[in-house]
Amino acid sequence: MGLRVAVVGSGPAGFYAAGQLLSADPPFEVDLFERLPTPWGLVRLGVAPDHPNIKVVSRVFEKIAARPGFRFFGNVEVGRHVAHDELAALYDAVIYAFGAEADRRMGIPGEDLPGSWPATAFVAWYNGHPDYQALDFDLSCERAVVVGNGNVAIDVARMLALTEPELATTDATDRAIEAIVGSGIREILVLGRRGPVQAAFTNPELVELTELAGADLLVDPADLELDPASERACEGDAMAERNLAVLRDVAAEARTRKRRSIRLRFLTSPVAILGHDRVEAVEVARNRLEETPEGRLVAVSSAERETIPCGIVLRSVGYTGTPLPGLPFDEARGVIPNAGGRVLGTDGRPLPGVYCAGWIKRGPTGVIGTNKKDAAETTGLVLADAAAGTLGPRSQRDVTELLASRGARIVDYRGWEAIDEAERARGEPQSRPRVKLCSWDELLETAST
Ligand code: FAD
Ligand code: NAP
């Protein structure tokens, strides 16, 4: 009898782990559990709709799903329909790859005022995540503020700036396209708490901001003057050097010809979000950089303050993981405590047969491909433990019996394919890759056709 593994979460980490186990010698059987009726995690519901080439990685996942020994259990939430200890009893090993879906908090006054949103919600909304479709983003204001200097902040700023022709061929939801195209926003202000050298965004994403049809990129040359420590940090850091070169070109041009602008400001942090019933402004502090004893440059707020009127704030300061009942959790880091992917119990020792991969293992950083190597580290340990005979034993019951007894309405891979076909068919006449089904009812109905 072959070994059977449960993988929880069907994003890149879950799919790569599944693929590696299905092609092991001898192959494992893999059951992939996903709380949504649709697979692919952030490849479907995070990656920006105007980046269709990135989503092509889903073809790799389709090939993995076609391998013998693979089963998909969509619309099954581990921790709700089935508990960790139940999975552990039914499988030789369990790999948790359920991502990091919550938003990191900034901890400033006014953070929860209406109109102040985590970027996590905005991204999920424009991408058609069924849990986020009831949200109402008021884009009628003239200035939006995006906090953070990562690639998600750049995605959010760019999405707000796209024109109808740029959006019309994407798989963003119709509602999001309508809201963005019809929005009153003239300026999208992106605030980085540190300097341009410390920005986390990558060069192609920055360059893309210089090529938008309907928005100019603006940077104040004074914001690009480096302190000596940043000068040193920049030398030999190819990404920082390239970013700085682009930013200096942009600053030298200083154009405002298009309908909208994206303005990047550095060394600036919101210290409060202001407003009576909703966001009316952000109060920002000017920062300077200080070197820690470990050599890291951190932002330290000065006494200099400024109030910037705005109508919406999108806080893009990172994602964070949330605990799953019955599993250990490192609250400070927002990850499952682990050693290379072996989940560690409260005594610091590995829990036999329990593993993790992806963002819930290492935290919310890294591109899609990073999860392949990360999953390989984890599945390497599964293989080693299988060879050492430390996996199992498992019960002979099949999980479907248990799920049926819980009333779970499973969306199997065929069900997902029905959704996929329906979405592609809706997209085709409009030259769009797909028009997503984005309500739970539509998704579940279509899956059962
Ligand atoms: P996820 O992709 O988040 O997958 C986790 C899955 O687990 C989800 O499907 C979720 O529904 C499911 N799940 C959660 N809880 C449960 C549960 N209890 N039971 C069952 N299932 C559960 N990388 C790039 O290379 N290019 C890009 O353009 C790019 N754009 C990005 C844009 C955004 C907005 C974000 C946030 C990230 C982007 N990334 C990009 C990074 C990339 O998406 C991540 O590295 C990758 O998705 C992380 O994979 P994961 O499998 O760990 O998590
Ligand atoms: P990220 O890269 O970690 O960036 C988070 C940003 O938030 C950093 O600039 C950070 O600044 C800032 N920040 C954190 N706390 C803050 C605070 N309290 N106040 C102000 N700023 C604060 O995270 P991300 O943008 O969420 O992206 C997650 C991962 O997905 C990244 O690895 C990213 O590359 C990847 N991704 C890739 C693409 C792509 O390839 N196109 C697109 C989207 C996402 P400090 O540096 O000062 O901490």
Side-chain angles (χ1 to χ4, degrees), residues 7-364:
V7 176
V8 180
S10 69
F15 257 106
Y16 284 128
Q20 290 153 8
L21 293 173
L22 289 162
S23 57
D25 184 17
F28 288 69
E29 289 173 18
V30 176
D31 285 354
L32 184 51
F33 293 88
E34 168 57 54
R35 72 170 281 269
L36 296 174
T38 57
W40 308 344
L42 288 167
V43 170
R44 176 178 164 94
L45 298 168
V47 170
D50 62 328
H51 285 173
N53 294 345
I54 306 289
K55 297 181 192 232
V56 171
V57 69
S58 57
R59 297 211 187 117
V60 174
F61 306 151
E62 283 167 353
K63 284 191 183 140
I64 291 169
R67 292 206 189 133
F70 177 88
R71 293 194 299 179
F72 181 67
F73 290 88
N75 198 34
V76 175
E77 182 173 343
V78 174
R80 184 162 78 99
H81 296 108
V82 52
H84 161 64
D85 56 351
E86 292 170 326
L87 279 188
L90 287 167
Y91 291 88
D92 295 292
V94 186
I95 300 180
Y96 287 98
F98 55 85
E101 293 182 306
D103 62 295
R104 217 181 275 153
R105 303 279 299 170
M106 293 190 65
I108 58 171
E111 192 166 2
D112 294 316
L113 267 178
S116 163
W117 295 95
T120 50
F122 187 59
V123 164
W125 173 73
Y126 64 59
N127 270 315
H129 190 306
D131 288 345
Y132 292 82
Q133 296 313 298
L135 301 184
D136 195 9
F137 292 91
D138 181 352
L139 305 180
S140 61
C141 54
E142 286 205 3
R143 182 182 291 114
V145 169
V146 178
V147 186
N149 256 186
N151 279 329
V152 173
I154 299 297
D155 274 357
V156 163
R158 190 183 68 256
M159 281 298 293
L160 283 172
L162 292 182
T163 57
E164 203 199 349
E166 286 167 317
L167 283 164
T169 52
T170 71
D171 67 1
T173 65
D174 288 343
R175 239 181 105 219
I177 294 177
E178 204 179 303
I180 292 168
V181 171
S183 94
I185 294 174
R186 289 287 178 275
E187 181 178 274
I188 300 142
L189 176 62
V190 182
L191 300 179
R193 67 175 166 184
R194 297 194 288 159
V197 172
Q198 292 79 30
F201 51 71
T202 41
N203 195 251
E205 283 62 35
L206 174 62
V207 170
E208 215 180 336
L209 295 188
T210 67
E211 296 164 346
L212 298 176
D216 292 306
L217 183 62
L218 303 174
V219 190
D220 183 344
D223 254 15
L224 304 179
E225 284 165 19
L226 303 185
D227 60 293
S230 293
E231 288 273 12
R232 283 196 304 277
C234 191
E235 274 167 35
D237 178 338
M239 186 70 78
E241 281 177 351
R242 284 206 300 273
N243 279 352
L244 207 56
V246 172
L247 290 168
R248 285 187 171 141
D249 284 351
V250 168
E253 280 184 38
R255 345 161 254 184
T256 45
R257 290 191 299 254
K258 298 175 184 164
R259 180 160 177 257
R260 291 179 176 140
S261 56
I262 297 179
R263 184 181 294 278
L264 304 183
R265 277 184 66 173
F266 297 98
L267 291 167
T268 306
S269 283
V271 288
I273 299 175
L274 309 174
H276 290 98
D277 301 324
R278 54 165 298 107
V279 170
E280 291 168 23
V282 283
E283 184 186 351
V284 299
R286 183 82 186 154
N287 298 332
R288 62 173 191 284
L289 293 176
E290 264 183 24
E291 203 161 354
T292 64
E294 300 77 40
R296 189 177 143 76
L297 289 172
V298 296
V300 177
S301 157
S302 73
E304 200 181 320
R305 296 282 188 276
E306 186 186 342
T307 298
I308 304 172
C310 65
I312 185 167
V313 176
L314 292 155
R315 309 181 316 265
S316 182
V317 297
Y319 286 60
T320 188
T322 45
L324 192 134
L327 272 188
F329 192 68
D330 179 340
E331 289 285 348
R333 294 187 52 225
V335 298
I336 299 175
N338 70 92
R342 279 195 184 102
V343 174
L344 303 176
T346 41
D347 59 359
R349 293 156 65 98
L351 298 177
V354 190
Y355 306 84
C356 58
W359 277 18
I360 197 60
K361 167 185 168 185
R362 65 173 197 281

